[in-house]
Amino acid sequence: MRIYHAEQPTHEVAAAPERTRHRRPRGRRADAAVAAVAAGLVAAGLTWATWDGAFDHVPLLDRAVAGGFEVVGCALLLAALSSPERRWITRTLPILLLSVTGLVALVALTLWITGTVTDAYPPSFAIWVGAGFAALAGCPLVLRRRPVDRATRPADGRTTGRTTGGTAGRALAWRKAAAVVAVPATIAGAFMQIDQQYGIWPQLGDVLGHSGAISGQQAHDLIGGAATPGSDPPAHGVIVSLDAPASRSHFSHRPGVVFLPPAYFGPGRPTLPVLIMLVGSPGTPINWLRSGHGQSTDDAYAAAHNGRAPVLVVVDQNGSATGDTECIDGPRGNAETYLTVDVPAFITGTLRIQHNPSRWGIAGFSEGGTCALDLVLGHPDIYRHVIDFGGDARPNLGDPAHTLSTLFGGSLAAERAHDPAWLLSTRRYPGVTLWFGAGAGDARDIAVGEQLAAAAVRDGIVTHRFVDPGGHNWQFASAGFAGVLPQLCDEMVTGGLASRLVQPLVQRPR
């Protein structure tokens, strides 16, 4: 008997989908590699050219350019951080923004506690710096993301892990590009906006420290007369990297520079007037010649006076970019001895200029202005002319107790001996001239200038006040120095004895 087995219905089982990885075609990968190498070569070339000085004269104080960088950077940052994914919106992005906010607050708190930056700065700094931090922190997060094809998401909303190079991939690629470009754009924008506030770096070369100074043996040959730029005196002054050694004070300081006007290379060298130039804190000595346009201002005056102009001796009284000695001999070093003993010895010995207090003065900005007034009132036998650009009423570090202990080692007598109000009330200063300047936008500095000028007038000192456009920044100091120099040079020639009357307030148009 033949037995028949009923055929069982068969069900065709669908094969499990093969997991495949989305692979970029070889041609595209090769193109990407070539583009990456080309971009690297271009970046290396631009970096080399920048350090070599090819872009030294690129201006950094153009408000429109600075604002443009900030707007473009923030727009790119917003584009990079945008995403329709719920996890990104509800978790990743809030954590990123909260972390950046906390970091900015921590930086601001650190600057305040340590006193690294004592000058006031606007709240907008937090936004600009925060945008840069957000771009830096967000860039790797965006670059790590993978495009997810919404069509592969099941009903429960969880992703299957499959990626695609379709529309989502192209959108994410644009966001990644925006994230990369947003980093330099926001940082450049923040840097330029902050630079607008203080005017520290007028050009890109100033950021890189390209001062154009003559250094080494060539500088010594130049001042020694063994080598001069041509048979005739130069048409313009020169900057030499010559530093006053701290032979007596042993004060640890940064190297300074000297600006020599054309007449320095002629027979009138010994009788040229001298101006010590002091920057504030934070600051770098060369700021006076570059940010404060001391070089161009002195050169312009020399061109109109047969090459004669003050020799500008730019020295460091703080020891570091954020140091603040207030030019006092104390726990922070013997800055006062350095400026009143070592620097004069350098001027007479190395630069070969005769010491004549009537022809020597000090110009200082911010903390440097406080120093200038205090040094001249304390040592009128060395210096007799002061230009105080936005200095304080007396040496201070903010908190009175901190000032007493840190600057004066707790000595009340030393503190009083460096108080201009006390000095002006107890001494007489024949031949001394004082200039007090402030930015039109800085009410505090204007009030301090009025107070100090009134005390100086009561003492019979030739006193000037001026207000120039700007705030407590190098734009103001630059305009002030250009306006003051001609009359100051007249007073240096006459010894400050031409008049015993206070000069009227000069308020230049904004």
Side-chain angles (χ1 to χ4, degrees), residues 95 104 111 205 241 256 391 439 486 501:
I95 291 176
V104 172
L111 293 176
S241 292
L501 300 176

Side-chain angles (χ1 to χ4, degrees), residues 183-489:
V183 174
T186 54
I187 292 177
F191 174 81
M192 293 181 70
Q193 293 282 18
I194 293 173
D195 194 26
Q196 295 290 327
Q197 179 73 15
Y198 300 114
I200 298 177
W201 297 285
Q203 297 178 330
L204 184 58
D206 301 317
V207 180
L208 303 176
H210 296 170
S211 64
I214 298 173
S215 59
Q217 188 59 45
Q218 186 181 3
H220 288 279
D221 291 343
L222 188 64
I223 65 171
T228 58
S231 57
D232 297 324
H236 301 282
V238 296
I239 303 175
V240 292
S241 292
L242 292 175
D243 182 54
S247 305
R248 177 76 66 85
S249 65
H250 305 292
F251 177 64
S252 178
H253 63 284
R254 294 167 293 172
V257 294
V258 180
F259 180 75
L260 304 173
Y264 181 84
F265 304 100
R269 171 192 299 191
T271 60
L272 285 176
V274 173
L275 272 178
I276 309 299
M277 312 294 283
L278 303 177
V279 299
S281 177
T284 304
I286 196 66
N287 286 154
W288 249 124
L289 297 185
R290 307 294 295 171
S291 311
H293 295 161
Q295 174 185 0
S296 57
T297 297
D298 209 51
D299 230 3
Y301 182 85
H305 294 82
N306 300 317
R308 289 185 63 86
V311 173
L312 306 182
V313 182
V314 188
V315 296
D316 173 37
Q317 81 276 20
N318 288 321
S320 68
T322 57
D324 189 349
T325 68
E326 300 286 313
C327 301
I328 304 296
D329 281 354
R332 294 193 169 186
N334 296 325
E336 185 173 2
T337 299
Y338 176 66
L339 293 164
T340 57
V341 177
D342 293 328
V343 172
F346 164 76
I347 296 171
T348 58
T350 302
L351 298 182
R352 303 179 186 178
I353 299 175
Q354 295 175 357
H355 176 237
N356 183 343
S358 296
R359 295 177 185 266
W360 285 24
I362 307 178
F365 171 53
S366 192
E367 176 243 356
T370 310
C371 287
L373 178 62
D374 202 46
L375 288 169
V376 170
L377 295 182
H379 304 273
D381 57 324
I382 302 175
Y383 310 104
R384 289 188 185 164
H385 305 280
V386 176
I387 315 178
D388 178 355
F389 296 94
D392 288 334
R394 63 187 61 82
N396 79 93
L397 298 177
D399 180 71
H402 178 61
T403 298
L404 181 63
S405 62
T406 304
L407 287 184
F408 304 102
S411 172
L412 291 172
E415 183 178 48
R416 185 177 63 175
H418 291 84
D419 185 348
W422 184 82
L423 293 171
L424 289 169
S425 67
T426 57
R427 301 183 186 179
R428 292 294 177 264
Y429 294 96
V432 168
T433 64
L434 305 179
W435 293 78
F436 298 105
D442 196 330
R444 175 183 171 276
D445 284 354
I446 293 175
V448 170
E450 292 175 349
Q451 172 190 343
L452 293 172
V457 170
R458 288 194 296 268
D459 197 35
I461 299 176
V462 177
T463 306
H464 312 262
R465 288 184 53 235
F466 61 93
V467 175
D468 278 304
H472 193 82
N473 51 35
W474 279 108
Q475 292 94 323
F476 143 70
S478 172
F481 186 61
V484 164
L485 187 62
Q487 189 172 345
L488 174 66
C489 288

Side-chain angles (χ1 to χ4, degrees), residues 118-136:
T118 56
D119 290 337
Y121 49 87
S124 56
F125 277 21
I127 299 176
W128 301 330
V129 174
F133 284 162
L136 283 170

